[in-house]
């Protein structure tokens, strides 16, 4: 898959309201799980926090891929 195909696919994903709603719901559920975890259950809180970070990282990766990346891939940089 070349750069243009990845960019087009990422734009399609970002334009779908269902994808945005699903990511929002997954993130909200993870944050709520982190907040509502028992006080003594550090492992559960860490797992929910990791899930929220994963959703946020996935969303930011899609947003990055959907933008023009000409300066991000090292091309066009000053010599």
């Amino acid at each position: 898959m070349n750069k243009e195909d990845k960019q087009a696919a990422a734009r399609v994903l970002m334009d779908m309201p269902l994808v945005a709603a699903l990511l929002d719901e997954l993130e909200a559920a993870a944050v709520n799980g982190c907040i509502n975890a028992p006080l003594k259950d550090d492992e559960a809180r860490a797992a929910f926090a990791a899930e929220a970070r994963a959703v946020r990282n996935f969303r930011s990766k899609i947003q990055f891929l959907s933008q023009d990346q000409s300066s991000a891939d090292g091309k066009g940089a000053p010599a």
Side-chain angles (χ1 to χ4, degrees):
M1 193 173 218
N2 62 21
K3 185 176 91 171
E4 290 80 20
D5 291 341
K6 288 180 183 180
Q7 187 175 21
R11 283 185 180 158
V12 168
L13 282 175
M14 291 303 295
D15 290 340
M16 288 185 184
L18 178 61
V19 172
L22 285 173
L23 291 175
D24 289 342
E25 187 176 322
L26 286 171
E27 184 179 355
V31 170
N32 286 335
C34 188
I35 291 170
N36 295 321
L39 293 175
K40 303 276 183 177
D41 196 356
D42 293 333
E43 290 179 9
R45 188 173 294 110
F48 283 122
E51 184 178 345
R53 280 192 304 274
V55 171
R56 289 176 183 162
N57 288 340
F58 180 68
R59 183 185 316 218
S60 68
K61 179 70 172 182
I62 293 174
Q63 288 173 346
F64 173 75
L65 288 174
S66 69
Q67 297 170 356
D68 183 26
Q69 305 170 27
S70 61
S71 64
D73 60 2
K75 297 178 183 169

